[in-house]
Amino acid sequence: MIHYRYGQPSVLFKSVQHENLLLSNYSEVQKSSEAPCFFWGKLNNPFLVSRCLIALSNVVQSGFSLSPAELAKLKDPIVTAGNGKLRFEGFSQCAGVYARLDILPDGLDGEFIAHGTTNVDFNQPMISALGSIRQQEQLILSVGSKDLTLHKEGVKISEKKVPLPLKWIKGLTTVQIFLSEAAISHTFNKLQTLQLFQGIPKGPVKNDYYLVSRGNRPMFSPLKSPAAVCIGGLHRLRLLEPLLPYMDKLCVFSHPQMQSTTWQLYFGSLRFSLSLSRESWRGFSGEGAALESLIEDVPDSWVDAMDKYSYANQEFNPSLLAVEEGLDFRHVDQLTARLAAMGLLGFDLDDNRFFYRRLPYRLDRIMSLNPRMKDAERLITEGKVQILSNKEGKVDARVEGSGVLHTVVLEGEKARCTCAWFSKYQGDRGVCKHILAVKKMRTNS
């Protein structure tokens, strides 16, 4: 006899205007076919949710290094339902600003019928409907595999699923890696935050600014000082200004190498975070942050097993996973990097956990989104990499380029190359294909 265990019961929702029967579906470790609905229910604070979604839409419609024509192309938030939470994510058009709204379990009164992710286009009717929501007004939200719908005072506004931009998948890879490496640096109350934002200069800011605290008062300074947090493109923080009157507190998280900063606002059962890339012209989609984690060969079966584990659990802490399952920490990091490289993982700073996005599982996406790694593998396959010496922690190698022979030296954690890419970026945009090729050959030989 086979017993089927359903994660959620089937539910009949009744309201004055609607009746909806949502049937539960069965799934073990394998992913089931897409359920028609992931979540259906009331929002406990629809006014604040609507303001946060409008702010997220403003981020998606903004751009800090693009023309007006390029800005008009994409307006699509990603919506993920899982583990009692709804998460809305989006990037600016230049992919240098990442925003996310997390609606926590206390902010929802409904049922999660299935775990899932969809990508919808917020058009003007949806923005207008969100803008018209008043305090204490009731709002029903449904999120499904094909659409997202608001039910408001007898009016239904739906947005259909649209393709997920490739640039966003690349950005999801980098920003989640940066988030997983970030640490909290400051916590400010509402008054401190309002005072801080009053110090943002008018107009675009070309030079770096630094977040410092003098006494109990935080401020932005153009002068670098010890323990200061570096912020490039400070003017991008103005995207948070419409939400400041409603916030309870602000937490600032910084990357250890200052590659990004994340500004997280708290509103009871809601969190809104804004992550900024190092400079306003630099998008998260081109950072190359995942490259180092992709060097060592990992069996496809391991990646597939990690995908199934993530899908079944929806959230996990990689260190705890390694301890509980007796796995090597390095292998777990490599596996999470590969799932992130397919856009399948996000990172929750407060919970210190990855969360799962249900996107198409495609191993070939890893290489298609990381062309430098693909080029490095081609250099090895074509026999263009020669390791001359490898002793006492130092590697000396030659890599054949286009009519030139590059010298690569690895020494401890440091690496250098004579190519133009390394000379220009000095490792700030990820390592070059020549260093990648030498590291991969050394590691997998």
Side-chain angles (χ1 to χ4, degrees):
M1 180 180 295
I2 299 176
H3 297 274
Y4 293 92
R5 178 171 296 177
Y6 292 79
Q8 299 286 349
S10 299
V11 179
L12 175 65
F13 288 101
K14 292 184 178 182
S15 65
V16 175
Q17 295 86 13
H18 306 281
E19 286 192 6
N20 290 271
L21 176 63
L22 303 175
L23 298 177
S24 180
N25 61 315
Y26 174 75
S27 172
E28 292 182 346
V29 177
Q30 279 71 25
K31 302 171 190 177
S32 61
S33 58
E34 286 190 338
C37 187
F38 305 140
F39 170 81
W40 174 282
K42 292 194 304 181
L43 300 174
N44 290 339
N45 197 330
F47 177 79
L48 279 181
V49 170
S50 67
R51 269 45 193 177
C52 289
L53 288 178
I54 290 172
L56 189 145
S57 179
N58 290 338
V59 170
V60 173
Q61 295 181 58
S62 68
F64 300 91
S65 61
L66 300 178
S67 68
E70 290 172 314
L71 288 177
K73 289 182 180 179
L74 303 171
K75 306 175 184 178
D76 315 327
I78 305 165
V79 190
T80 297
N83 262 25
K85 304 181 183 74
L86 289 178
R87 304 182 193 267
F88 296 78
E89 304 171 87
F91 284 92
S92 62
Q93 298 309 295
C94 56
V97 181
Y98 165 77
R100 190 173 82 225
L101 167 64
D102 296 331
I103 307 179
L104 305 179
D106 288 346
L108 301 164
D109 183 10
E111 292 290 339
F112 285 83
I113 291 84
H115 304 303
T117 301
T118 190
N119 189 53
V120 296
D121 187 355
F122 271 19
N123 290 304
Q124 192 55 48
M126 177 64 76
I127 300 299
S128 298
L130 291 170
S132 67
I133 293 172
R134 303 180 300 275
Q135 294 276 11
Q136 308 304 320
E137 187 171 5
Q138 288 197 352
L139 185 70
I140 292 177
L141 174 69
S142 64
V143 180
S145 59
K146 303 298 183 183
D147 57 17
L148 177 147
T149 302
L150 293 179
H151 303 267
K152 174 179 174 290
E153 294 182 345
V155 178
K156 184 171 77 170
I157 303 100
S158 294
E159 295 290 7
K160 299 297 183 182
K161 181 179 180 179
V162 295
L164 184 62
L166 184 63
K167 180 189 288 188
W168 282 27
I169 299 179
K170 294 178 69 175
L172 290 173
T173 300
T174 299
V175 77
Q176 309 313 326
I177 292 175
F178 283 171
L179 286 174
S180 68
E181 296 172 349
I184 190 168
S185 59
H186 294 83
T187 299
F188 303 126
N189 61 32
K190 185 175 182 176
L191 179 59
Q192 289 174 317
T193 303
L194 291 171
Q195 292 174 336
L196 175 65
F197 273 68
Q198 288 173 357
I200 300 178
K202 303 296 183 184
V205 180
K206 296 182 179 180
N207 299 323
D208 289 339
Y209 267 71
Y210 299 87
L211 174 59
V212 299
S213 292
R214 294 176 182 169
N216 290 325
R217 182 170 182 177
M219 61 182 60
F220 296 118
S221 171
L223 302 177
K224 186 177 181 179
S225 61
V229 175
C230 181
I231 309 155
L234 179 66
H235 54 289
R236 296 177 290 174
L237 282 178
R238 293 198 193 98
L239 290 164
L240 288 176
E241 287 181 336
L243 298 178
L244 299 185
Y246 312 108
M247 58 161 284
D248 299 321
K249 69 174 181 178
L250 164 69
C251 289
V252 182
F253 300 82
S254 58
H255 185 266
Q257 281 78 50
M258 299 298 174
Q259 293 299 313
S260 68
T261 57
T262 297
W263 306 71
Q264 192 152 278
L265 300 177
Y266 296 79
F267 314 83
S269 58
L270 308 178
R271 297 185 306 224
F272 189 94
S273 59
L274 192 80
S275 297
L276 305 181
S277 61
R278 179 62 181 82
E279 288 96 8
S280 58
W281 52 265
R282 181 191 296 188
F284 284 112
S285 59
E287 295 292 347
L291 292 173
E292 295 280 354
S293 300
L294 301 177
I295 289 174
E296 188 169 344
D297 291 335
V298 174
D300 291 348
S301 59
W302 290 17
V303 182
D304 181 61
M306 188 66 180
D307 176 65
K308 288 184 170 63
Y309 174 88
S310 304
Y311 170 76
N313 291 274
Q314 292 301 301
E315 295 181 0
F316 68 93
N317 178 289
S319 298
L320 290 177
L321 170 63
V323 171
E324 291 171 356
E325 301 296 331
L327 302 174
D328 187 285
F329 287 95
R330 182 168 50 87
H331 288 159
V332 173
D333 288 342
Q334 291 164 351
L335 292 170
T336 54
R338 279 163 170 76
L339 292 190
M342 289 184 272
L344 300 177
L345 296 182
F347 193 80
D348 190 310
L349 284 163
D350 282 354
D351 294 339
N352 195 29
R353 291 182 175 185
F354 286 98
F355 65 87
Y356 188 79
R357 299 186 195 91
R358 188 175 174 186
L359 301 177
Y361 176 79
R362 289 176 46 196
L363 280 171
D364 62 338
R365 187 185 293 144
I366 296 177
M367 288 305 167
S368 67
L369 298 181
N370 293 277
R372 263 180 279 168
M373 180 58 73
K374 191 173 183 179
D375 290 343
E377 292 193 347
R378 184 182 299 114
L379 289 171
I380 295 173
T381 302
E382 294 175 356
K384 294 183 178 181
V385 182
Q386 183 181 11
I387 295 180
L388 302 180
S389 65
N390 182 5
K391 57 184 179 180
E392 297 179 356
K394 183 177 181 180
V395 176
D396 187 7
R398 302 292 181 270
V399 182
E400 184 180 340
S402 301
V404 64
L405 197 63
H406 298 293
T407 297
V408 173
V409 177
L410 309 180
E411 193 167 6
E413 297 296 322
K414 297 180 179 180
R416 58 184 185 273
C417 180
T418 56
C419 71
W421 174 276
F422 184 84
S423 298
K424 182 176 181 179
Y425 297 113
Q426 296 292 310
D428 282 345
R429 302 298 299 274
V431 295
C432 66
K433 61 184 178 182
H434 312 105
I435 293 176
L436 279 174
V438 173
K439 286 189 172 184
K440 189 171 182 66
M441 177 175 281
R442 180 193 62 176
T443 301
N444 297 308
S445 59

